[in-house]
Amino acid sequence: MAQHTGTDQPATRFRRLLHIDLDQFQVSAERLRRPDLVGAPVIVGGDGDPSRPRQVVTCASYEARAAGARAGLPMPAARRKCPDAVFLPLDMEFYEETSAAVMDVIRSFGHPVEVWGWDEAYIGVDPRDEPATLDAHGVTELAHSVRRAVRDRTGLPCCLGISDNKQRAKMAAGFAKAAVREPDAPDEARVFTLDDGNWNELMGPRPTRDLWSVGPKTARKLADRGIDTVAQLQAVDRDDLIALFGPSQGNWLYVLCRGGGDDAIATAPWIAKSHSKSNTYPADLTSRDDLSAAAGELTREVLDQVIQEGRIPFRVGLTVRTSTFYTRTKMRKLAAPGTDYDAIAPVVADLLDAFDLDRPVRLLAVRLELLDP
């Protein structure tokens, strides 16, 4: 779950950024409750039943990944690849509590923190418009202090990447995660610095796909033109990249392959623009009565969450996915913003009636878009 902290406030630029990455977060959290799972293949997803084909893996331990299980894989496929794994259900409330405890530890060091979900955050060190307080050694020591504090106060392992922008810091954390999976790797390997001094040496020979934000489609488009590595991408003229990808992505690739990126931290709390609840049903829904009842139940669930947070919905969305995986979403504005179920439920019902449902339905989702606080 890697959603970044959104804010309309201006962000502060920093000389150094630390990216903290909690290893196999959901598995590590579960192992806090069950130490007997340490070292065992563990797979988390859905209600923990690996026989259900419509549930997928959300987190797999490194032991399970070695057998071929991975996030996004249907649970039955994960069981076939790793039959000895322990399968556990998602416990969202526990993960949120555990993550919040980690973020509190990070914030206790007094540096600005931008949270990117349960298992990721950025720490800003030394604003660029102020005198520097830490040299490279001091930043490294800070990273190790954060790592030890998270481990000692929450029991969770983490890796930290250090660089001068978010993209390189995240890739640096990736190097740290790879290093600690080696046999007998020391804890010190959990901190890694990636900057101008080692960028070309470490990243130049690597495939372009290893650049953060370069997806498979972009990598294929580059490969079709003989550009397979980061070093080869660096050799491409900026104008050629713009001609191939457009001004926005072309300029971004030109900067990214040279180690550039975003050096700003936004510290304002993340404010959700909407909340939603969805359900993939064990058996397809075919009757209108069943569909109406399911949509009403989802509406109550998401509305309860909105009310608990003191938010006000103003627009409703309904997503329908049929047995053929055809997926559509319809939106409708409420007559007036409010939290009255009796006012919202008829709008959801009208949205459902607007669908021409000639196929069984496997998934429904109700979304409430919210007024700003």
Side-chain angles (χ1 to χ4, degrees):
M1 180 176 179
Q3 297 175 354
H4 68 82
T5 301
T7 175
D8 294 329
Q9 298 183 7
T12 302
R13 299 178 62 201
F14 289 86
R15 290 184 178 86
R16 286 285 173 176
L17 290 94
L18 279 59
H19 180 263
I20 181 168
D21 191 314
L22 298 170
D23 295 353
Q24 46 186 0
F25 170 67
Q26 293 171 8
V27 169
S28 294
E30 294 291 349
R31 284 171 170 171
L32 294 177
R33 299 193 284 194
R34 289 189 53 184
D36 60 298
L37 296 179
V38 174
V42 179
I43 294 173
V44 179
D47 63 3
D49 184 350
S51 68
R52 296 198 172 185
R54 295 185 177 183
Q55 296 188 142
V56 299
V57 176
T58 59
C59 186
S61 69
Y62 291 128
E63 296 83 3
R65 294 179 202 180
R70 54 174 174 75
L73 195 69
M75 294 284 269
R79 181 171 62 175
R80 288 194 296 271
K81 289 181 177 294
C82 193
D84 296 330
V86 177
F87 287 83
L88 299 174
L90 284 165
D91 188 340
M92 311 293 273
E93 184 175 351
F94 176 59
Y95 304 147
E96 289 174 1
E97 293 173 355
T98 304
S99 175
V102 173
M103 300 309 163
D104 285 344
V105 172
I106 299 171
R107 292 189 182 99
S108 71
F109 284 82
H111 297 276
V113 176
E114 181 175 326
V115 178
W116 276 55
W118 285 336
D119 58 348
E120 291 185 275
Y122 286 96
I123 305 169
V125 181
D126 283 337
R128 289 190 179 275
D129 58 358
E130 297 178 11
T133 61
L134 292 176
D135 58 14
H137 177 74
V139 174
T140 301
E141 285 302 307
L142 171 64
H144 281 296
S145 296
V146 171
R147 173 185 61 78
R148 289 190 293 266
V150 169
R151 179 198 61 200
D152 295 344
R153 291 163 59 182
T154 72
L156 292 174
C158 65
C159 289
L160 288 97
I162 302 172
S163 194
D164 55 357
N165 63 67
K166 286 178 176 174
Q167 286 68 27
R168 279 209 288 206
K170 183 174 176 68
M171 286 184 273
F175 278 102
K177 291 172 70 174
V180 298
R181 289 198 290 270
E182 296 296 325
D184 302 321
D187 271 354
E188 287 70 23
R190 290 186 173 274
V191 173
F192 193 91
T193 299
L194 184 64
D195 55 20
D196 287 341
N198 59 359
W199 174 261
N200 287 333
E201 174 190 354
L202 294 178
M203 293 300 300
R206 299 178 76 91
T208 59
R209 185 75 175 84
D210 285 1
L211 291 169
W212 186 42
S213 79
V214 172
K217 184 177 178 181
T218 299
R220 285 195 299 270
K221 197 170 182 178
L222 290 168
D224 289 343
R225 288 154 179 82
I227 306 166
D228 297 308
T229 68
V230 174
Q232 289 171 336
L233 181 56
Q234 290 176 348
V236 180
D237 186 80
R238 183 197 295 261
D239 291 339
D240 292 338
L241 289 174
I242 292 173
L244 184 59
F245 292 99
S248 178
Q249 189 179 10
N251 275 304
W252 174 241
L253 288 171
Y254 184 86
V255 170
L256 185 66
C257 70
R258 288 163 173 77
D262 175 18
D263 61 1
I265 290 287
T267 58
W270 176 67
I271 299 173
K273 297 295 185 182
S274 67
H275 284 312
S276 64
K277 292 289 183 180
S278 65
N279 196 4
T280 300
Y281 298 95
D284 293 337
L285 304 180
T286 55
S287 75
R288 280 284 172 171
D289 288 345
D290 289 344
L291 287 165
S292 297
E297 183 178 353
L298 290 171
T299 303
R300 286 192 181 278
E301 289 180 6
V302 68
L303 184 59
D304 285 346
Q305 180 183 1
V306 167
I307 292 172
Q308 288 174 8
E309 295 183 8
R311 303 294 298 279
I312 306 293
F314 71 94
R315 189 172 11 237
V316 181
L318 179 67
T319 298
V320 173
R321 179 173 297 157
T322 68
S323 57
T324 58
F325 286 85
Y326 179 74
T327 305
R328 289 288 300 276
T329 298
K330 295 183 182 293
M331 304 292 301
R332 187 163 298 176
K333 196 171 184 178
L334 295 173
T339 57
D340 183 3
Y341 175 82
D342 291 336
I344 296 172
V347 179
V348 176
D350 288 345
L351 288 171
L352 183 61
D353 289 339
F355 285 94
D356 183 17
L357 297 176
D358 57 353
R359 297 178 180 87
V361 172
R362 61 179 280 124
L363 175 145
L364 285 176
V366 174
R367 182 167 82 245
L368 297 180
E369 296 192 354
L370 310 173
L371 296 175
D372 289 335

